[in-house]
Amino acid sequence: MNLVFRFTLILTFLSLYTVCGFSKPGRPGKKRVDPNATEETVALHKNLRKLARKHTLFGHQHATEYGHGWAGDADRSDVKSVTGSHPAVIGVDFSGLSGRPQEAIEKTKIALRQNLADTYNRGGVTTVAWHFSNPVSKGGFYWVDSVSAPAVSMIIPGGSHHETYKQILRTVGEFAQSVRGNDGKLVPMIFRPYHEFDGGWFWWGKPHCTREEFIQLWQFTVSYLRDSVGVHNFLYAYSPDCLFKTEAEFLERYPGDEWVDLVGMDNYADFGRNGRYNVEAGIQKLKIVSDYAKKAGKLAAFTETGLESIPDTTWWTATLLRALRAEKMRLCYVLVWRNDTRSPTHYYAPFPGQASAPDFLKFYQDPYTLFENDLPKLYR
């Protein structure tokens, strides 16, 4: 074989790689679920990936809607009251968009739309949970024996309530299409439906549907929002609870790389719930998440955690920060749960005077963590 012929073969091979869109060996693709995602959503995806090399964004559920002893105050969060900055990631919920009178749904839309737009205008990130009330029976989003129906099989294609589910998805999608910032652009959101599906406490949980039914539910949800409703400002997040010990268990109900932008985990159990700590186990589970994300070209996040009432005064640096910085993981954000407005004990972020606030300030000041005031322009 002469050199000219060899060179021609090499050029042909490289051309086929380019034309067919193949990735280089060992270099996972970075494709998003939605090839038609808005420019701002693409930029968010890219910038979160870049920041995760050296940082983790801090998030708090319902941070700017209400907090410990207050609700509805403008530009307020308990985190900001302690540090001077809102969290980088604000968690909201689409729970109020179905299963209620239409008047209540419309009121929810107004408040939620303003919250989402405000976060975007300040340069922050929104992640959306969906505590979705059972569309087939009573019982709310929790599984209640003798009341809850195993609804997954009934809302997927061919199910008795499939058309009902499509209408709910249309409400969700049309709402997402209505949220714009001051720049007139659609607000990107990390949409995290059907979380903690490996447990049995929600009606979509593992005991209440087969693996195949759950995967079909996920794939239909994404395809209907993206292709039928035309939602192009979502990144889609997959997040089981912490009941896995291996990558295979983590991926047991995984719908496929083409259906997921971000992989995560919810874990309270290993991080001090009920006084029980198994932080090393928690770190290993986070490593499974992070390692899979690197291999598959996905974002990774610690999608929910926290220590209720934060009785451990050094939890932020000695437990959480230590876990985030272990094993050279790349986690784009960590989110702790909400601060209830009325309960004296149900809170997961400090407020002024709370015992862990001094340690939280150290957590805030550490270069590894990013809060809203630390963020670069994420949507460019």
Side-chain angles (χ1 to χ4, degrees):
M1 188 183 291
N2 63 43
L3 288 175
V4 174
F5 185 60
R6 285 182 183 179
F7 187 66
T8 303
L9 275 179
I10 291 169
L11 285 177
T12 303
F13 183 70
L14 290 173
S15 297
L16 281 172
Y17 255 69
T18 303
V19 171
C20 298
F22 296 128
S23 299
K24 294 179 182 178
R27 296 283 299 275
K30 297 178 181 178
K31 291 183 179 178
R32 294 168 305 279
V33 169
D34 188 353
N36 298 313
T38 66
E39 288 184 17
E40 292 70 30
T41 306
V42 171
L44 176 63
H45 184 270
K46 179 181 177 181
N47 287 321
L48 287 176
R49 181 188 298 278
K50 183 178 179 181
L51 288 173
R53 296 171 189 163
K54 296 182 179 179
H55 305 282
T56 297
L57 280 63
F58 176 75
H60 186 204
Q61 185 73 14
H62 297 305
T64 52
E65 295 173 66
Y66 55 78
H68 188 73
W70 64 273
D73 294 358
D75 196 31
R76 180 176 180 179
S77 68
D78 286 340
V79 168
K80 184 179 180 182
S81 295
V82 172
T83 67
S85 173
H86 288 306
V89 178
I90 307 293
V92 301
D93 206 302
F94 280 170
S95 60
L97 298 184
S98 64
R100 309 164 70 206
Q102 192 60 38
E103 184 179 350
I105 290 174
E106 294 305 319
K107 274 185 84 172
T108 295
K109 287 180 182 178
I110 293 169
L112 192 54
R113 188 179 293 115
Q114 187 63 56
N115 183 288
L116 287 157
D118 287 346
T119 298
Y120 173 79
N121 291 335
R122 294 192 311 267
V125 180
T126 293
T127 179
V128 184
W130 195 16
H131 287 84
F132 177 19
S133 288
N134 196 314
V136 177
S137 71
K138 294 181 180 179
F141 52 83
Y142 283 122
W143 179 266
V144 181
D145 286 338
S146 79
V147 173
S148 300
V152 172
S153 64
M154 303 180 197
I155 63 175
I156 57 179
S160 58
H161 287 66
H162 182 56
E163 291 303 316
T164 299
Y165 184 51
K166 285 166 66 175
Q167 186 54 52
I168 291 168
L169 285 181
R170 188 162 289 279
T171 298
V172 167
E174 289 174 354
F175 171 76
Q177 293 169 320
S178 76
V179 185
R180 295 182 180 272
N182 288 340
D183 58 4
K185 305 293 186 180
L186 286 170
V187 172
M189 309 171 204
I190 300 170
F191 185 42
R192 191 171 66 98
Y194 302 119
H195 66 300
E196 299 176 10
F197 52 81
D198 48 340
W201 43 92
F202 298 134
W203 58 260
W204 55 84
K206 184 175 178 179
H208 317 304
C209 62
T210 67
R211 174 182 179 274
E212 292 73 23
E213 287 168 346
F214 181 82
I215 289 173
Q216 189 177 6
L217 173 65
W218 184 283
Q219 293 178 352
F220 175 78
T221 300
V222 172
S223 63
Y224 191 77
L225 287 169
R226 180 191 62 193
D227 305 330
S228 297
V229 185
V231 176
H232 299 302
N233 51 326
F234 277 177
L235 297 174
Y236 293 90
Y238 166 94
S239 64
D241 199 57
C242 58
L243 303 180
F244 61 92
K245 293 182 180 178
T246 65
E247 182 184 282
E249 291 174 343
F250 174 67
L251 297 174
E252 182 192 359
R253 298 195 165 209
Y254 190 60
D257 287 341
E258 65 270 36
W259 301 98
V260 172
D261 293 303
L262 179 151
V263 293
M265 170 187 72
D266 294 5
N267 191 344
Y268 299 88
D270 293 327
F271 288 83
R273 174 176 273 177
N274 300 324
R276 298 172 187 165
Y277 285 83
N278 194 351
V279 181
E280 294 309 315
I283 289 171
Q284 289 310 307
K285 293 169 189 175
L286 283 173
K287 187 175 187 302
I288 289 170
V289 174
S290 177
D291 285 354
Y292 183 76
K294 290 177 189 176
K295 181 167 60 176
K298 302 298 172 188
L299 299 174
F302 196 173
T303 44
E304 271 187 48
T305 190
L307 179 63
E308 188 174 24
S309 300
I310 330 169
D312 180 348
T313 58
T314 61
W315 186 83
W316 299 103
T317 57
T319 298
L320 183 58
L321 185 60
R322 179 168 73 86
L324 296 174
R325 301 194 72 157
E327 301 285 355
K328 297 182 179 179
M329 292 184 286
R330 293 185 181 180
L331 303 170
C332 62
Y333 74 85
V334 58
L335 180 136
V336 299
W337 201 238
R338 67 182 190 137
N339 287 9
D340 188 83
T341 186
R342 296 179 181 175
S343 170
T345 58
H346 187 70
Y347 57 84
Y348 289 82
F351 45 85
Q354 199 275 327
S356 76
D359 189 59
F360 187 68
L361 272 172
K362 294 179 183 177
F363 177 84
Y364 164 74
Q365 291 160 355
D366 192 286
Y368 193 77
T369 62
L370 297 181
F371 286 62
E372 193 175 86
N373 287 354
D374 304 317
L375 294 176
K377 302 293 185 183
L378 293 178
Y379 300 103
R380 296 181 186 173

